[in-house]
Amino acid sequence: MKQGLFELVKSMTQSEKRYFRIEAAKQAGDQPQLYMMLFEAIEACDDYSEKQFKELHRNAPFIGQFALKKHHLQLQIMKSLRAFNNARSAEMRVTELMQNILILYDKGLYAHCRTAIRKAVKLSTRYEFHALLIWLHEFQRRILKKEKQTNMREGLEVLLQEKDDHLKNLDEKLSQLDQYDRLFIASRTTGKIPEESLNASANFRTVLGELYTLQSLALQAHLRKDYLLARDEQEKIVLLWEKHADMAKEYRQSHRTSLANYLVLCYSTGQMARFPEYLERIRKIPSKSFDEEAEAFQNLSYLELLYFTNTGQIEGGLSLTNQISKGLKRYARKINVARHLVIRFNVASLCFIAADFKQSLTWCNSILQVSKTEHRRDIQGLVRIIQLLIHYELDNHELLEYQLRTTREYFGKQKEMQPEERLCLAQFRKLLKTVDATQRTEVCTEWLRKLEELIDSGSTWQAAELCSLWLKANIQGRMIVEIAKEELGEKDEQKK
């Protein structure tokens, strides 16, 4: 299974593929080139197994010397990608200038070399490519010594001072990045916050140094569950990008992530009114690679579902389901399993609130069909509870006993069972034994009372609100969406 070339082809955006085909056609004239035939064959694949691919195309002209054909295609793709993306990134423009500098220096064309260096230094200074500035500094010194100018001593002193500045800037940037990365990795591996205090300078030499410091402060506050402080620190990051718009364009992925993190913290602190403006800002950030497209898709899908569900705009959320379904398929290889499960569960929940139980069941089933994984065991458990409620609503009585039994078996295999899960299974069994509407109301009322006691005691069970809405709808004989909107309105009034 050799996936490298397949993944490279699938990572290309539509614009990159179009450019690659146009450039290849210019070289080929009227005769199609073998590497392009191989490209089109790989592009047509959804999955890739080299053995199966070679068997499927055993009579194709590119199968002979297949390893060489693949290598040639990869070289041509990389050459095309460099040309296509050269003007789209300041960092790539600098690296191209650096290649020119090497060639010009080897040819002894020092005046031309200095011109290229000046352009590269200007870009590198503007976008804080400090490591590249140190490389460029070395060539400035080489040229100074080669040309043996009369003012060589003064020129060297200027360069030495600039070198010291570059090193200080690089040290600030890397030390603050080190601090953030240690905190980030500790939070993902041990779940503990490092005890050492954060080094947060009041005066920064670089924008990136300040950015990494603010990211550390925001993450630390978030891990300590001080969401208000985390939101305030994240807001400073957003304002920093606004202040340095050129940097935001160059570091667009970081900018997009900062806006997404800010909205998550706005949600955690009940500031839903800020969503429309910042969702639009995220949409306006261009994606310049397949990877960036996937990142933008999953961020926007998650945040839009969060916004529509928590503002009672159920119809707006439902309008996204087809787009989300297509995106999950298109970017499947780029979205991690945990985020896959979260997005699918949020869509299932939205359909459940809208009483579109068949669609909700389809999304729930799609979660359980994900290959066995340890990711988001909480969601895998929640879905099984929601499935019981859906089958009940759909009158799938012949399935309910079996579904209840398999759900109990699933939870029995887990290390521990949440009290909310235990309550739901016990009350659902009671519900199946009821014979009339009065008994069903009594069971649901008891169920709701016990669930609210758990919620009041600090329950963090994610399905508590969804289950509560369903119980109230059954007790009151109303639609779930009506009760959801009513409760959201009450929360808004309390905030005022």
Side-chain angles (χ1 to χ4, degrees), residues 361 388 391 395-406 432:
L361 182 60
L388 291 174
H391 283 302
D395 294 325
N396 293 333
H397 299 297
E398 68 282 0
L399 285 174
L400 282 171
E401 283 291 348
Y402 170 77
Q403 197 75 31
L404 180 60
R405 183 171 68 256
T406 56
L432 292 184

Side-chain angles (χ1 to χ4, degrees), residues 130-163:
H130 304 300
L132 301 186
L133 281 167
I134 292 170
W135 187 94
L136 293 166
H137 166 83
E138 180 185 348
F139 268 84
Q140 286 175 304
R141 288 168 69 166
R142 285 189 194 180
I143 293 169
L144 182 71
K145 288 182 284 187
K146 283 281 186 182
E147 293 189 321
K148 300 178 181 178
Q149 297 175 0
T150 54
N151 62 343
M152 187 164 62
R153 182 188 295 274
E154 293 81 357
L156 180 62
E157 290 302 322
V158 170
L159 288 174
L160 290 176
Q161 180 59 53
E162 288 177 354
K163 180 262 299 180

Side-chain angles (χ1 to χ4, degrees), residues 382 385 417-426 447 450-451 454-455 457-464 467:
L382 295 174
I385 298 291
M417 198 170 172
Q418 297 292 329
E420 297 88 350
E421 294 165 344
R422 192 175 293 107
L423 169 66
C424 287
L425 293 180
W447 188 346
K450 291 181 177 180
L451 181 60
L454 290 170
I455 292 172
S457 65
S459 169
T460 57
W461 192 53
Q462 287 191 32
C467 192

Side-chain angles (χ1 to χ4, degrees), residues 370-392:
V370 173
S371 57
K372 188 175 180 181
T373 175
E374 294 299 314
H375 290 93
R376 297 309 302 259
R377 303 285 299 205
D378 56 336
I379 286 179
Q380 296 182 59
L382 295 174
V383 165
R384 287 169 166 80
I385 298 291
I386 301 303
Q387 273 189 324
L388 291 174
L389 307 184
I390 292 172
H391 283 302
Y392 184 84

